[in-house]
Amino acid sequence: MLLNEIEFCSKTAKAWQIVGNIVLILKIVVPLIIIILGFVDITKAVIASDSKVTKESIMRLFKRLLAGLLIFFIPTIVSYLFSLVAEFGNLNGDFLKCVNCITSPNKDCDTSYSGGIFPE
């Protein structure tokens, strides 16, 4: 049986909550990893007293910071891309349920606006 397009997020709310929990964990773990690895790289560069090593470690830290920022903005980017689809306007209420499940995975997923991307 195919899911009705308007009820897709309602039927798959638990899956979206799992995705939301994974995103939440990544938002906590990724900055910690970036801080720890950045501290180790910069410490090695300072101890080595070599400008080439220092430059390489700063570039690695910069790349890690960019990757960390992407983790924070993935839900926003995905929501924006979905909003560009012309027919997506018909699913706005159900879409809010998906957005709320991802952005607030520990709360009940309803279609009321709870700080998600698109207000009703």
Side-chain angles (χ1 to χ4, degrees), residues 57-110:
S57 65
I58 290 174
M59 287 304 295
R60 270 195 307 263
L61 179 62
F62 182 71
K63 289 177 185 177
R64 289 178 184 150
L65 287 173
L66 285 177
L69 283 174
L70 279 177
I71 293 294
F72 281 101
F73 290 114
I74 284 175
T76 305
I77 292 168
V78 169
S79 297
Y80 177 72
L81 292 175
F82 278 127
S83 72
L84 293 177
V85 177
E87 297 175 11
F88 202 69
N90 299 335
L91 305 175
N92 195 23
D94 197 51
F95 171 69
L96 282 175
K97 183 172 287 241
C98 286
V99 170
N100 288 338
C101 286
I102 293 173
T103 57
S104 302
N106 298 326
K107 296 181 182 176
D108 186 29
C109 302
D110 60 2

